[in-house]
Amino acid sequence: MEKLPGIRACVFDAYGTLFDIQAPIARLAPEIGPHAEEISALWRRKQLEYSWLRSLMGVHADFWRVTGDALDYALDQFGVSGPGLRDEIMALYLKLDAYAEVADALAAVKARGKLTAILSNGSPSMLKAAVRHAGLDRLFDMVLSVEDVGIYKPSRRVYRHAMQKLQISDAPSVCFLTSNTWDAHGAATFGFQAVRVDRFGLKDERLPGKPAALVKDLSGLAGIV
């Protein structure tokens, strides 16, 4: 794969890119029952839908609230309940494991002198908990949340916020990495060199903006930046 030119910073989406968001439901599958995988997929879909709809409606709530509302919808849709089950699932969302290659990939990128940051829909407290649990604290120069701007990705305001915090004025000098197809297109449209991490075997969206590269995971990242 060709090297991306002029990269000064690598900015990462968090959920599904660095952290395994399917783990909470998977760990509690015996308690949840036969529809656990369907609930996990619906939870994620509603989580994203609610973030976009709240942005369009101009009625912002932080990602912890959005995540809880989405989980409530998914559990209710499949008629799943149980004493403390909902709270247990939510607690596990604060203790997500990083994918196996993430720590080494981040260390290699930092060794090349690149800035590293997270730019996520997650609230500051959610991101702090996930980063600490995964032991990635020292591998990021910044952990940035959309809460600083009050709207969710893929709003241009969110990507611009990252540039301001990184003190970078040239968008193409940022490599933005995400496993979310819509996020890759949003970042590319903004002007970042977007790299889509294809963990789930998805196709590019029929949206403006084309990702600069497609990778299966983050293991070879240092070689392209």
Side-chain angles (χ1 to χ4, degrees):
M1 183 175 297
E2 292 185 8
K3 188 178 178 69
L4 300 177
I7 298 298
R8 294 177 53 199
C10 289
V11 178
F12 300 82
D13 170 61
Y15 299 115
T17 303
L18 301 173
F19 304 114
D20 182 2
I21 56 174
Q22 297 172 338
I25 296 293
R27 287 181 61 179
L28 294 174
E31 292 92 332
I32 294 169
H35 296 293
E37 288 188 11
E38 295 165 277
I39 289 170
S40 184
L42 180 59
W43 180 19
R44 177 58 172 170
R45 189 171 83 240
K46 284 297 176 182
Q47 185 190 47
L48 294 174
E49 286 178 4
Y50 287 171
S51 72
W52 299 329
L53 290 168
R54 281 184 171 276
S55 293
L56 288 169
M57 295 164 71
V59 186
H60 184 74
D62 74 16
F63 205 54
W64 184 250
R65 166 70 183 276
V66 168
T67 299
D69 287 347
L71 177 59
D72 291 339
Y73 181 97
L75 293 174
D76 188 51
Q77 180 68 26
F78 286 91
V80 172
S81 61
L85 180 61
R86 188 259 195 197
D87 291 342
E88 192 172 357
I89 296 171
M90 287 293 288
L92 287 175
Y93 211 86
L94 299 176
K95 300 177 181 178
L96 298 175
D97 292 330
Y99 290 105
E101 84 286 357
V102 166
D104 287 345
L106 290 169
V109 168
K110 286 193 71 65
R112 293 185 64 85
K114 312 298 181 183
L115 293 171
T116 57
I118 286 177
L119 179 65
S120 172
N121 282 343
S123 67
S125 59
M126 292 174 72
L127 294 171
K128 183 178 181 180
V131 170
R132 181 187 297 129
H133 175 76
L136 302 178
D137 311 60
R138 297 181 181 181
L139 294 174
F140 289 107
D141 296 298
M142 296 181 185
V143 177
L144 305 174
S145 167
V146 301
E147 285 306 298
D148 292 330
V149 290
I151 194 169
Y152 288 104
K153 292 186 292 181
S155 169
R156 295 178 66 85
R157 288 163 52 190
V158 177
Y159 304 120
R160 187 177 299 113
H161 175 63
M163 291 185 63
Q164 292 169 343
K165 286 294 186 179
L166 290 165
Q167 297 184 338
I168 291 176
S169 59
D170 183 28
S173 65
V174 174
C175 174
F176 182 80
L177 299 106
T178 180
S179 64
N180 295 296
T181 52
W182 53 270
D183 199 9
H185 285 269
T189 301
F190 178 76
F192 290 159
Q193 295 193 60
V195 174
R196 186 161 72 81
V197 185
D198 188 26
R199 295 194 185 278
F200 310 113
L202 303 175
K203 300 295 185 181
D204 287 341
E205 303 288 351
R206 271 54 174 178
L207 289 171
K210 182 174 177 57
L214 180 70
V215 297
K216 293 301 295 182
D217 57 35
L218 298 176
S219 57
L221 176 59
I224 67 172
V225 299

